[in-house]
Amino acid sequence: MKDITMSIFRSRIKNRPANISKLFVLCIVMVLFSGISIIAGVNDEVELRQGNFQSEQAAKEELAEFARRYSNLEQWKARAKNIRQGILRGAELLPLPKKCPLNPVIHSKRKHDSYTVENIAFESLPGVFVTGNLYRPGQGQGPFAAVLCTHGHTPLGRFGADHQRRCATLARMGAVVFSYSMIGYAEWKNAGWEHKCPKVLKLQLWNSIRAVDFLLSLDDVDPKRIAITGESGGGTQSFLLTAVDDRIAVSIPVVMVSAHFFGGCDCESGMPIHKSSMHLTNNAEIAALAAPRPMLLISDSKDWTKNTPTVEFPYIKNVYRLYDVEANVENLHLPDEGHDYGPSKRIGAYKFLAKHLGLSLDNITKPDGSIDESFVVVEEQGDMLVFTPEHPRPSQVVKTSVDELPRD
């Protein structure tokens, strides 16, 4: 069926006008990369739940209804399994694609005060390269804890100053940190990829799964101490990956977990991960799939996380109560702050990760007890790019061309 679909696709593309849009080709790439075609797909009754899909009151009532569907741990585990399968099925990742060799590209190591930075790329699919930067502790032999750092929909992405501060500080605390770009950002954008495509959620979630594979391929990473944290759209990446990949030991989704808001970008809610004929859920319940693993929800009063202390957090805490590990879930609510991953939020994350990953707060604490990030060198974007004239893209890289679709 896959070969038939590809044959039809190539035939139709061949006869399209020469000015076919890059966006169209990118969408087709992400529909077909896992070997699951539209023709071979499940004819499900699905519904997209996007943006402010429902009112705050409706969300509260929905969580109450969800809670009535289980009363003990075994019932919750059955529900959680169904939700997890619903996410993967909705993202067209069930079954998971065959994993190709990572073929990592690593170069340009820079040494800073108590940490180093390298430029990294690896193949998530044949010819599809995830790009980012690897921050390592400047001292110690490991094995180290590891943290995936995702970014939100900000123009600078992983190059933003606050993002760099977060990654470098965690490295100084004793973690190997991989910061990677969303599709359509940084090197992706330079190669012609665009972020806005209905199927972007599929490839972006797959890239995160492969990012865990990449961390586990490093000799100095402790496979039992892997965390993920990010804000906004990066927060969505954090709780989605944690929900479907039990290799994540600790998670910190920042300014994102909401029962009434489902993410405003297709990379968060553009595929039917929340509702099908076999499952119905929202992002608060997806976040609860982290249980019993430690999780910190960071929220504020100026976006859709304003109700977290009274709506989402109590629901999630009740799930942790079923495991008898209520202490493993926390909520840092900052009522005077807004939608970012600013200093107060980072400090909360540092403390939580130190507690659950065994990182050192002493390495970043001043004599007066305050947190010190002043040692961080905010690098120039050009120094952080993986693919440059001096380090060209590999010849097998997939660009916005039908002739370069990933193959099994």
Side-chain angles (χ1 to χ4, degrees):
M1 181 65 72
K2 175 187 173 184
D3 292 339
I4 293 173
T5 305
M6 289 296 291
S7 177
I8 294 172
F9 170 70
R10 290 194 181 100
S11 175
R12 291 179 178 177
I13 290 296
K14 184 176 181 181
N15 295 321
R16 285 183 67 88
N19 65 345
I20 177 175
S21 72
K22 292 180 180 179
L23 180 59
F24 175 81
V25 176
L26 281 172
C27 292
I28 298 300
V29 168
M30 285 180 273
V31 169
L32 297 178
F33 82 82
S34 68
I36 303 172
S37 71
I38 295 175
I39 294 176
V42 176
N43 184 18
D44 233 350
E45 294 180 8
V46 299
E47 180 180 18
L48 295 184
R49 310 185 98 195
Q50 294 185 285
N52 287 298
F53 178 81
Q54 58 190 1
S55 69
E56 295 172 27
Q57 181 60 33
K60 187 176 181 179
E61 292 172 359
E62 183 174 70
L63 286 179
E65 172 59 28
F66 290 166
R68 286 191 285 270
R69 299 183 184 183
Y70 57 89
S71 59
N72 57 54
L73 182 57
E74 291 309 309
Q75 290 175 347
W76 164 254
K77 286 183 176 179
R79 179 171 177 80
K81 180 180 179 181
N82 185 57
I83 294 170
R84 187 174 295 109
Q85 290 178 338
I87 294 169
L88 291 172
R89 185 173 58 250
E92 299 178 3
L93 291 173
L94 190 67
L96 290 174
K98 182 179 179 180
K99 292 182 177 180
C100 68
L102 292 168
N103 298 323
V105 176
I106 305 175
H107 64 78
S108 303
K109 186 173 184 177
R110 285 91 67 197
K111 295 183 179 181
H112 299 302
D113 185 2
S114 301
Y115 72 97
T116 64
V117 187
E118 295 169 279
N119 302 342
I120 305 290
F122 62 81
E123 285 184 272
S124 64
L125 292 160
V128 177
F129 282 85
V130 177
T131 57
N133 300 102
L134 189 69
Y135 297 71
R136 293 179 184 266
Q139 299 176 353
Q141 299 299 317
F144 299 107
V147 182
L148 291 174
C149 279
T150 55
H151 65 81
H153 294 90
T154 58
L156 290 177
R158 77 176 200 264
F159 306 127
D162 277 356
H163 189 90
Q164 291 190 50
R165 291 187 183 100
R166 186 204 328 164
C167 297
T169 301
L170 289 170
R172 185 164 179 166
M173 291 172 65
V176 172
V177 181
F178 181 56
S179 163
Y180 58 110
S181 288
M182 285 184 177
I183 294 165
Y185 284 71
E187 293 89 349
W188 295 90
K189 182 177 181 179
N190 293 344
W193 289 73
E194 297 181 43
H195 184 69
K196 293 185 177 181
C197 175
K199 302 292 182 178
V200 65
L201 187 156
K202 172 169 39 172
L203 183 52
Q204 202 152 273
L205 181 54
W206 179 247
N207 287 347
S208 292
I209 293 172
R210 298 310 318 267
V212 180
D213 294 338
F214 169 69
L215 287 176
L216 292 177
S217 74
L218 303 176
D219 293 336
D220 57 351
V221 166
D222 183 347
K224 295 182 179 180
R225 293 189 294 153
I226 297 179
I228 185 168
T229 183
E231 80 284 13
S232 194
T236 301
Q237 291 183 71
S238 297
F239 64 70
L240 283 181
L241 178 63
T242 304
V244 302
D245 196 329
D246 60 10
R247 297 174 298 176
I248 297 296
V250 183
S251 60
I252 307 180
V254 178
V255 297
M256 197 62 223
V257 175
S258 168
H260 71 273
F261 184 73
F262 290 76
C265 179
D266 282 341
C267 78
E268 302 170 277
S269 54
M271 299 182 74
I273 63 171
H274 297 101
K275 184 178 180 180
S276 71
S277 62
M278 291 179 278
H279 85 297
L280 173 66
T281 191
N282 59 42
N283 284 346
E285 192 168 45
I286 291 175
L289 267 62
R293 296 163 290 172
M295 177 173 64
L296 172 65
L297 304 175
I298 299 182
S299 56
D300 65 86
S301 291
K302 297 182 180 180
D303 62 19
W304 45 83
T305 63
K306 61 184 178 181
N307 299 326
T308 296
T310 58
V311 177
E312 290 84 3
F313 181 60
Y315 180 87
I316 295 170
K317 189 173 183 179
N318 184 61
V319 172
Y320 277 76
R321 185 179 294 113
L322 296 175
Y323 289 93
D324 197 25
V325 289
E326 292 175 69
N328 276 1
V329 63
E330 299 180 24
N331 173 217
L332 172 61
H333 188 69
L334 301 167
D336 296 325
E337 296 198 9
H339 194 72
D340 58 34
Y341 208 149
S344 299
K345 299 180 180 71
R346 295 198 299 274
I347 290 171
Y350 299 154
K351 292 180 178 179
F352 193 81
L353 291 171
K355 176 181 178 181
H356 291 285
L357 292 182
L359 304 181
S360 175
L361 278 175
D362 291 341
N363 289 353
I364 60 167
T365 302
K366 297 178 182 179
D368 64 2
S370 61
I371 297 298
D372 181 17
E373 294 180 324
S374 64
F375 64 89
V376 177
V377 175
V378 177
E379 297 187 327
E380 295 295 327
Q381 178 173 331
D383 295 330
M384 304 178 74
L385 288 171
V386 183
F387 300 132
T388 65
E390 295 76 24
H391 300 279
R393 292 179 178 82
S395 59
Q396 74 271 29
V397 69
V398 170
K399 300 178 182 178
T400 53
S401 167
V402 67
D403 293 328
E404 295 175 295
L405 279 172
R407 298 176 176 85
D408 288 340

